Amino acid sequence: MAVLEISVPEYEAKAGKEESIFQDLHVVFKIVTRFSGTDRDSKTTWRRYREFELLRNYFVAMYPEIVMPPIPIKKMNFTWDAMGLDPFETAFLEERMAGLEVFLERVTVHPKLQSDWIFLIFVGEDKEFMGRVNETQWAEKADSRILSSIASFRIKKKDQQFDDTLQYGEGLMMVTRTVKSHTKALCDKQRSMSKRYSALAKVFSAWATDEKDIPDQLFAAGQQLASMVETMEGSLCGVELKFLQPLQEYCLYGDSLRCVARHQLLLQYDLEQTEEALSNKALMKEGVSQEREDQLSFGKLAARVLSGDTTKSARLNTLQREIDALEESSEQQLQTLQTFSGNANRELEVFQSQKSADMRAFWKAMVQEQIAIHIKAISSWQNVRDSFAAVSSSR
């Protein structure tokens, strides 16, 4: 069976065609796709960040039951080429490139997303991708956050599981942000220590040339500290790549969970609004059926004439047609809600399994990198101590 393999191996800065002091500088990311197990050649296409963003927005609108994989956060870069400013930060773009690759990898393993025709256009060589997406009118299906807020206050029967999902999504965003903030501060301090150790290593190496009694020991101490710095820098890069970036992804996953819960909330709200309208129409019909023609006031008779329903039977027929339409709408909305809830529950189970495995992996990586830093530090300082101790004992 052919498996789609996808990667984002590089990026490239490009300038637009307009000639002005405000250059249309932008970055495009290279996407390479190939089907393993086949003799088909790999395909390459280049996409801007805003095209990735459009693809994900399309996915969210068309597949609201899926806990949608996130893309890296957007960052505005304002460029004034006439001032000689470089608008592209290498570290930021490399992090974005890695995040975009993870997004595409998540999409390729999802049975619905990987076969979506818009996605296949995206990874193909079609240059009219944005126009093809807009033809689907996906924006008309996108949930309104304002309406979601209204529904959250007016809904009468909340589904506890989806309410818990909403709360968990918000909590996940908060706790991952906090952990990321503290971990980044820790890495910054360790990197600052690494710079101090590097400076100290140079001092020891220089000092060794001036000391006649212990030059070898001072030089060895400098070498040990330099080796420790190399290990620290490598491990800190590992923390950023293997821990902080995945942690950021799950921070963004928190919003994906909220989107799923909010969509269920909107479906439930629409159903309750229809049921309320149906109940009101039923009460109106009951009231009309109990009316007596000879007991109507002049105002009610005038209202009938103006509305065109001059007879009791005509009004009852009109109300019955409205009731029938509302009942049909209510049944369709209930079916839509039940289908969505079932699909969303299965997606949430898959997400929880994925999250547990991912979190175990990146927490293990974080611990291993920190252990490597401290083991190397202890080993280096012990070697320095033993080197100087050997000189003392020889005397």
Side-chain angles (χ1 to χ4, degrees):
M1 180 180 177
V3 177
L4 178 63
E5 296 179 350
I6 196 162
S7 62
V8 185
E10 60 182 279
Y11 63 86
E12 183 178 311
K14 290 191 175 183
K17 298 180 181 180
E18 295 84 358
E19 294 183 0
S20 67
I21 61 172
F22 294 101
Q23 295 294 315
D24 179 26
L25 293 177
H26 60 273
V27 176
V28 290
F29 297 89
K30 183 179 181 180
I31 302 173
V32 179
T33 56
R34 63 179 295 271
F35 286 93
S36 63
T38 69
D39 56 359
R40 288 194 286 181
D41 295 334
S42 61
K43 291 185 178 181
T44 300
T45 190
W46 295 81
R47 298 291 182 194
R48 296 181 64 170
Y49 174 84
R50 67 183 185 184
E51 292 177 290
F52 280 90
E53 191 175 34
L54 178 60
L55 175 66
R56 187 179 184 278
N57 290 339
Y58 161 81
F59 277 153
V60 171
M62 304 303 287
Y63 304 98
E65 74 278 7
I66 296 176
V67 184
M68 200 59 61
I71 60 175
I73 58 175
K74 189 171 186 177
K75 180 178 180 180
M76 298 299 294
N77 286 311
F78 296 97
T79 308
W80 197 358
D81 189 58
M83 295 177 63
L85 299 177
D86 181 6
F88 306 114
E89 303 170 19
T90 301
F92 170 75
L93 291 174
E94 288 181 350
E95 182 178 344
R96 168 172 283 187
M97 183 175 67
L100 294 175
E101 182 174 271
V102 171
F103 166 72
L104 292 179
E105 288 174 346
R106 300 281 195 197
V107 171
T108 57
V109 298
H110 194 283
K112 289 183 180 180
L113 301 181
Q114 67 171 334
S115 58
D116 183 273
W117 69 282
I118 288 293
F119 173 65
L120 296 178
I121 290 175
F122 178 83
V123 298
E125 299 175 354
D126 192 336
K127 296 181 179 180
E128 300 299 325
F129 163 72
M130 298 186 74
R132 301 291 290 276
V133 176
N134 292 330
E135 288 175 2
T136 65
Q137 299 180 336
W138 64 271
E140 296 180 4
K141 299 181 180 181
D143 291 339
S144 167
R145 289 185 178 269
I146 295 176
L147 187 56
S148 297
S149 299
I150 295 174
S152 65
F153 288 106
R154 295 186 179 180
I155 196 169
K156 297 176 183 178
K157 300 176 183 177
K158 286 189 176 182
D159 186 305
Q160 189 60 49
Q161 180 175 355
F162 284 97
D163 191 50
D164 291 343
T165 298
L166 179 64
Q167 300 301 322
Y168 178 77
E170 293 175 349
L172 182 63
M173 293 177 70
M174 181 178 67
V175 71
T176 49
R177 282 175 184 157
T178 303
V179 172
K180 181 182 177 183
S181 176
H182 289 310
T183 304
K184 190 175 184 305
L186 174 63
C187 288
D188 289 343
K189 286 189 175 182
Q190 289 179 317
R191 185 159 278 117
S192 177
M193 289 178 61
S194 174
K195 292 179 180 179
R196 296 289 184 180
Y197 284 136
S198 179
L200 191 57
K202 294 176 181 178
V203 170
F204 276 130
S205 298
W207 193 7
T209 61
D210 298 329
E211 289 290 338
K212 296 181 180 180
D213 295 336
I214 52 173
D216 294 339
Q217 287 71 29
L218 288 172
F219 184 77
Q223 292 294 100
Q224 288 291 332
L225 292 180
S227 176
M228 181 172 65
V229 168
E230 184 178 352
T231 298
M232 288 184 69
E233 289 297 326
S235 293
L236 290 173
C237 289
V239 170
E240 293 176 351
L241 181 64
K242 301 174 185 178
F243 183 74
L244 290 178
Q245 289 185 19
L247 195 66
Q248 174 65 20
E249 182 191 20
Y250 274 92
C251 178
L252 299 175
Y253 258 125
D255 188 60
S256 298
L257 290 170
R258 294 196 303 177
C259 286
V260 173
R262 284 170 174 163
H263 189 77
Q264 189 278 338
L265 198 67
L266 284 172
L267 293 178
Q268 179 67 34
Y269 177 70
D270 289 341
L271 176 60
E272 290 184 3
Q273 290 294 101
T274 301
E275 290 176 341
E276 184 177 352
L278 180 60
S279 177
N280 291 336
K281 291 295 181 182
L283 289 174
M284 290 174 63
K285 180 183 176 184
E286 182 180 355
V288 171
S289 65
Q290 294 176 356
E291 288 180 355
R292 290 176 54 184
E293 298 288 345
D294 57 349
Q295 293 181 342
L296 292 177
S297 65
F298 175 78
K300 289 185 177 181
L301 286 172
R304 282 192 188 181
V305 172
L306 292 173
S307 65
D309 292 334
T310 57
T311 65
K312 180 178 179 179
S313 60
R315 295 173 65 205
L316 288 173
N317 289 336
T318 299
L319 287 169
Q320 186 59 52
R321 286 194 297 271
E322 292 174 349
I323 288 172
D324 291 342
L326 286 170
E327 285 179 342
E328 182 180 356
S329 178
S330 176
E331 290 176 2
Q332 292 175 350
Q333 289 175 339
L334 179 60
Q335 181 63 40
T336 300
L337 175 61
Q338 291 174 341
T339 301
F340 171 82
S341 298
N343 292 336
N345 283 328
R346 286 188 288 273
E347 292 288 341
L348 288 169
E349 289 177 1
V350 172
F351 170 76
Q352 289 294 344
S353 177
Q354 167 198 304
K355 177 179 66 67
S356 298
D358 287 348
M359 285 194 170
R360 283 195 296 268
F362 66 65
W363 272 109
K364 180 180 177 180
M366 165 67 168
V367 172
Q368 287 176 333
E369 296 294 354
Q370 288 295 327
I371 289 175
I373 289 174
H374 289 86
I375 286 179
K376 182 62 177 178
I378 292 172
S379 174
S380 296
W381 283 115
Q382 285 178 336
N383 289 337
V384 172
R385 178 200 61 188
D386 294 343
S387 178
F388 283 106
V391 175
S392 301
S393 61
S394 64
R395 293 179 180 181

